[in-house]
Structures are given as structure tokens and as C-alpha cells.
Amino acid sequence: MLAQCRAYAPGNTDLSWTRLTPWRALLAAAPDQHPLKVTGASVTAERISPSADLLVAWLADRLRIEVRRRSSEGPGITDVTPDTREGPITISRADGRLATFSSPNRPDRPVALKRREVPALLSEELRRLDEDDVYARTAKRLVALHRESS
């Protein structure tokens, strides 16, 4: 993943990035429901998960916060937790299908967050053939985060 991000050129994409579309949509909508300042975050996933690495970089870039990367047995990404002063906002998906969205002072709610198969990912990519500026920034941030941790 790191080598691919280092060699990024306009127009490049990655299905690991495409896998994140539902996660990113859910996380981007969270502040609309809970207008709380995010002070930190964690992403928990299988030890080898390019999607999780990209999600860490995306959150760090967008929110300008430290994002911790934790390991789980999977499948894929199992938990994303933005921290706020009022408590954590947690999206937890243990089975790869259904997630639970938890936030301070609100009841938990189920959210469909099924792992998508390659044909669905390719279909999404083929609908958008222009350069993905957000992916470009995320790839650049992933390289910078790796440099900082070395």
C-alpha cells in the first residue's frame, strides 16, 4: 500500500480505497447528527488491511487529529471510534455485515455496512473515471504518516 501511495499519479485509484466509501459516508455524516469536536480516533481492523491504513490517513487528514491503528481478527475493518469530550462515537462491525452506531447520550442503532465484493467495487470505480482528489490527498497523507512514524 505504501509503495502504491508513494508512486501515486493523477488518475490512480485502489479498490482498498473504494471499499471505504460506505465507512467514509457514515463517518462524514456523524458530525451532522452529533456536532461534537473530535479530539482523536482509532481504527481497528485485521493486521493487514490496506483499507484500514487508508482510513487512518483520511481521518488524520480531514480532522487534523491523531488516529491510532489497532488490530483485530477481522473481517476487514471492525471498529472506528472518533473520540469527543462527551464520549466516543463508535461504529462497530464484528461480522462484516451489520454495524452498530453508538454515540454519547443516544441509543445504539444498527447500520447496514456489508463488505462489498469486487464486482460492486469495480462498478463504483467505473461510474467515476475522473481524478479522485480526496484519494490523492489521502495517499499523500499516508506517506507522510509513515515518514513521521519511522
Side-chain angles (χ1 to χ4, degrees), residues 37-40 57-67 137 141:
K37 180 172 173 41
V38 176
T39 57
W58 179 74
L59 286 167
D61 184 65
R62 291 296 167 172
L63 299 175
R64 301 286 182 216
I65 56 169
E66 180 183 341
V67 182
R137 283 185 55 171
R141 182 65 174 195

Short mmCIF file of all heavy atoms in Angstrom, two decimals, residues 37-40 57-67 137 141:
data_model
loop_
_atom_site.label_atom_id
_atom_site.label_comp_id
_atom_site.label_asym_id
_atom_site.label_seq_id
_atom_site.Cartn_x
_atom_site.Cartn_y
_atom_site.Cartn_z
N LYS A 37 -16.73 18.25 18.69
CA LYS A 37 -15.35 18.30 18.20
C LYS A 37 -14.67 16.97 18.44
O LYS A 37 -14.67 16.45 19.56
CB LYS A 37 -14.59 19.42 18.89
CG LYS A 37 -13.15 19.52 18.42
CD LYS A 37 -12.48 20.75 18.98
CE LYS A 37 -11.00 20.82 18.69
NZ LYS A 37 -10.56 20.43 17.42
N VAL A 38 -14.09 16.42 17.39
CA VAL A 38 -13.36 15.16 17.50
C VAL A 38 -11.93 15.46 17.95
O VAL A 38 -11.25 16.30 17.35
CB VAL A 38 -13.38 14.39 16.16
CG1 VAL A 38 -12.54 13.13 16.24
CG2 VAL A 38 -14.81 14.06 15.76
N THR A 39 -11.50 14.79 19.01
CA THR A 39 -10.18 15.06 19.59
C THR A 39 -9.15 13.97 19.28
O THR A 39 -7.96 14.17 19.50
CB THR A 39 -10.31 15.19 21.12
OG1 THR A 39 -10.89 13.98 21.64
CG2 THR A 39 -11.19 16.38 21.49
N GLY A 40 -9.58 12.85 18.78
CA GLY A 40 -8.71 11.73 18.44
C GLY A 40 -9.58 10.63 17.88
O GLY A 40 -10.81 10.75 17.87
N ALA A 57 -5.35 7.41 7.42
CA ALA A 57 -4.80 8.60 6.75
C ALA A 57 -5.90 9.60 6.41
O ALA A 57 -5.72 10.82 6.56
CB ALA A 57 -4.04 8.18 5.49
N TRP A 58 -7.05 9.11 5.94
CA TRP A 58 -8.16 10.01 5.59
C TRP A 58 -8.66 10.77 6.82
O TRP A 58 -8.84 11.98 6.77
CB TRP A 58 -9.29 9.20 4.95
CG TRP A 58 -10.50 10.01 4.58
CD1 TRP A 58 -10.62 10.88 3.54
CD2 TRP A 58 -11.76 10.02 5.26
NE1 TRP A 58 -11.88 11.43 3.54
CE2 TRP A 58 -12.60 10.91 4.58
CE3 TRP A 58 -12.25 9.35 6.37
CZ2 TRP A 58 -13.91 11.16 4.98
CZ3 TRP A 58 -13.55 9.59 6.77
CH2 TRP A 58 -14.37 10.49 6.08
N LEU A 59 -8.88 10.05 7.92
CA LEU A 59 -9.35 10.71 9.15
C LEU A 59 -8.32 11.72 9.66
O LEU A 59 -8.67 12.84 10.05
CB LEU A 59 -9.64 9.67 10.24
CG LEU A 59 -10.91 8.86 10.06
CD1 LEU A 59 -10.92 7.67 11.03
CD2 LEU A 59 -12.15 9.73 10.28
N ALA A 60 -7.05 11.33 9.65
CA ALA A 60 -6.00 12.23 10.12
C ALA A 60 -5.93 13.48 9.25
O ALA A 60 -5.77 14.60 9.76
CB ALA A 60 -4.65 11.51 10.12
N ASP A 61 -6.07 13.31 7.95
CA ASP A 61 -6.01 14.45 7.03
C ASP A 61 -7.22 15.36 7.18
O ASP A 61 -7.08 16.58 7.27
CB ASP A 61 -5.92 13.94 5.59
CG ASP A 61 -5.76 15.08 4.61
OD1 ASP A 61 -4.71 15.76 4.67
OD2 ASP A 61 -6.67 15.30 3.79
N ARG A 62 -8.39 14.79 7.23
CA ARG A 62 -9.62 15.58 7.29
C ARG A 62 -9.83 16.26 8.63
O ARG A 62 -10.31 17.39 8.68
CB ARG A 62 -10.83 14.70 6.97
CG ARG A 62 -10.87 14.26 5.55
CD ARG A 62 -11.04 15.46 4.67
NE ARG A 62 -10.77 15.12 3.28
CZ ARG A 62 -11.00 15.96 2.30
NH1 ARG A 62 -11.47 17.15 2.53
NH2 ARG A 62 -10.72 15.61 1.07
N LEU A 63 -9.52 15.56 9.71
CA LEU A 63 -9.82 16.09 11.04
C LEU A 63 -8.61 16.71 11.74
O LEU A 63 -8.75 17.31 12.80
CB LEU A 63 -10.41 14.98 11.92
CG LEU A 63 -11.72 14.38 11.41
CD1 LEU A 63 -12.13 13.20 12.29
CD2 LEU A 63 -12.82 15.43 11.36
N ARG A 64 -7.43 16.53 11.16
CA ARG A 64 -6.19 17.05 11.76
C ARG A 64 -6.04 16.57 13.20
O ARG A 64 -5.83 17.36 14.13
CB ARG A 64 -6.14 18.58 11.70
CG ARG A 64 -6.21 19.13 10.31
CD ARG A 64 -4.92 18.91 9.61
NE ARG A 64 -4.96 19.49 8.27
CZ ARG A 64 -4.37 18.96 7.22
NH1 ARG A 64 -3.68 17.85 7.36
NH2 ARG A 64 -4.45 19.50 6.05
N ILE A 65 -6.17 15.25 13.36
CA ILE A 65 -6.07 14.62 14.68
C ILE A 65 -5.14 13.42 14.58
O ILE A 65 -4.83 12.95 13.49
CB ILE A 65 -7.44 14.14 15.20
CG1 ILE A 65 -8.09 13.17 14.18
CG2 ILE A 65 -8.35 15.32 15.50
CD1 ILE A 65 -9.30 12.45 14.69
N GLU A 66 -4.75 12.89 15.73
CA GLU A 66 -4.01 11.64 15.77
C GLU A 66 -5.01 10.50 15.69
O GLU A 66 -6.02 10.49 16.39
CB GLU A 66 -3.20 11.52 17.05
CG GLU A 66 -2.43 10.23 17.13
CD GLU A 66 -1.69 10.07 18.44
OE1 GLU A 66 -1.47 11.07 19.15
OE2 GLU A 66 -1.34 8.91 18.75
N VAL A 67 -4.71 9.54 14.82
CA VAL A 67 -5.58 8.37 14.67
C VAL A 67 -4.73 7.13 14.93
O VAL A 67 -3.71 6.91 14.28
CB VAL A 67 -6.19 8.30 13.25
CG1 VAL A 67 -7.11 7.11 13.13
CG2 VAL A 67 -6.93 9.59 12.92
N ARG A 137 -5.11 13.15 -1.85
CA ARG A 137 -4.70 13.73 -0.57
C ARG A 137 -4.46 12.66 0.49
O ARG A 137 -3.54 12.76 1.30
CB ARG A 137 -5.77 14.71 -0.06
CG ARG A 137 -5.75 16.04 -0.76
CD ARG A 137 -6.72 16.99 -0.16
NE ARG A 137 -6.47 17.15 1.28
CZ ARG A 137 -7.06 18.05 2.02
NH1 ARG A 137 -7.93 18.87 1.48
NH2 ARG A 137 -6.81 18.14 3.30
N ARG A 141 -1.07 11.79 2.49
CA ARG A 141 -1.07 11.79 3.96
C ARG A 141 -0.56 10.45 4.52
O ARG A 141 0.16 10.44 5.51
CB ARG A 141 -2.48 12.07 4.48
CG ARG A 141 -2.60 12.13 5.96
CD ARG A 141 -1.81 13.30 6.53
NE ARG A 141 -2.09 13.39 7.95
CZ ARG A 141 -1.82 14.41 8.69
NH1 ARG A 141 -1.22 15.45 8.18
NH2 ARG A 141 -2.11 14.40 9.96
#
